[in-house]
Amino acid sequence: MSGFVIVAGVLLGLVVGSFLNVVAYRIPLDQSIVSPPSACTRCGHRIRPRDNVPVLSWLLLRGRCRDCGERISIRYPIVEAATAATFGATAWFIGEQWILIPYLWFAAVTIVLVLTDLDHHRIPNRILYPSTVLGLLLLVGGAFADRAAENLPRALAGGVAYLVLLFIIALVARGGFGMGDVKLAFFLGLFLAYASWGTLVVGIFLAFFVGGLGAIVLLVTHIRGRKDPIAFGPALIAGAWIAIPLGQSLLSWYLGT
């Protein structure tokens, strides 16, 4: 049964990853994610169903439009494959529990927010607000279904704590963080603290570690200058991704040393 859950997670991730590409592209441009159907940006031909199979269609078409030969960004299959891998890993780590559903939702939302922040230096409220509300409802439902409702107050407190921490830092840093990062912290804190307080602490530490390390790399390689904005949302999310499966173990190891 565990193998079935993992395979189902991978297959679901492929389909969801294709949709996340659409969401990440259209929402920041204030476009509908429902219509019009996906089409080539050059010739305008709609994408045929056979050319819309995640990853496989891109490979068979060799990364080009069937009608005009326009290049199709490799980002599309990468996002689809990454979502499939993330969903599969989440299913493997959590296993056959109802709480798996909200954590799959968490994975999908954070992937699309990484894309929007990297592309536009924005964490759109149109994605974050409804995602946070639905994520909280899914957490509540999963917790009660798994008879683990005692984790919910900690999850709420963790979300508030992470939000307040980043809000204070944003005020002190005077623009060093965007308010999108602050609001994102509440969403991340919910899922981190649901696991444990230790997971939340490690997630916060890793966010700043990854963010600082990434900024150094960008500056040293001259990809960004000292006055250029650097998206911090991906670092916040990366810290959470690492901490949810490994945070408590890392904290125990650190305290043990």
Side-chain angles (χ1 to χ4, degrees):
M1 189 65 179
S2 297
F4 172 79
V5 171
I6 295 171
V7 171
V10 170
L11 295 177
L12 178 63
L14 286 172
V15 176
V16 171
S18 181
F19 180 65
L20 296 184
N21 276 313
V22 175
V23 174
Y25 176 79
R26 294 189 180 185
I27 290 294
L29 300 177
D30 293 325
Q31 297 178 358
S32 170
I33 60 175
V34 178
S35 64
S38 297
C40 175
T41 56
R42 179 182 178 184
C43 67
H45 276 89
R46 291 185 179 181
I47 305 300
R48 301 169 178 84
R50 61 175 172 163
D51 294 336
N52 211 19
V53 180
V55 180
L56 182 61
S57 290
W58 189 91
L59 294 173
L60 292 176
L61 291 171
R62 298 181 181 180
R64 292 185 179 275
C65 172
R66 182 183 295 276
D67 297 291
C68 68
E70 175 75 357
R71 284 190 176 275
I72 303 171
S73 173
I74 195 174
R75 167 168 145 169
Y76 292 103
I78 288 176
V79 170
E80 292 163 354
T83 306
T86 304
F87 272 39
T90 303
W92 170 78
F93 174 71
I94 294 179
E96 302 165 35
Q97 301 181 70
W98 287 105
I99 204 66
L100 173 62
I101 296 174
Y103 275 95
L104 290 178
W105 175 254
F106 171 85
V109 172
T110 51
I111 287 172
V112 78
L113 290 179
V114 166
L115 297 175
T116 60
D117 205 9
L118 289 176
D119 288 344
H120 304 280
H121 292 275
R122 285 179 56 199
I123 297 176
N125 291 335
R126 286 180 61 191
I127 298 175
L128 184 58
Y129 287 167
S131 296
T132 301
V133 173
L134 183 54
L136 180 57
L137 292 175
L138 289 173
L139 269 181
V140 171
F144 275 98
D146 289 334
R147 299 181 181 180
E150 67 276 5
N151 294 339
L152 293 173
R154 184 178 66 232
L156 281 171
V160 172
Y162 205 174
L163 182 148
V164 170
L165 173 64
L166 277 201
F167 181 72
I168 294 173
I169 294 175
L171 291 179
V172 173
R174 296 181 181 180
F177 291 100
M179 284 298 107
D181 296 329
V182 175
K183 290 177 283 189
L184 173 61
F186 177 76
F187 178 74
L188 300 179
L190 285 174
F191 288 86
L192 286 164
Y194 182 88
S196 70
W197 284 116
T199 301
L200 175 64
V201 171
V202 173
I204 295 172
F205 171 80
L206 288 175
F208 285 92
F209 177 79
V210 171
L213 184 62
I216 291 172
V217 171
L218 291 174
L219 291 173
V220 169
T221 57
H222 302 290
I223 296 176
R224 286 286 189 273
R226 291 181 62 185
K227 295 184 178 181
D228 293 332
I230 297 175
F232 189 60
L236 289 170
I237 291 168
W241 280 352
I242 299 170
I244 287 173
L246 301 175
Q248 194 60 50
S249 298
L250 288 173
L251 184 62
S252 298
W253 168 80
Y254 176 76
L255 294 177
T257 59

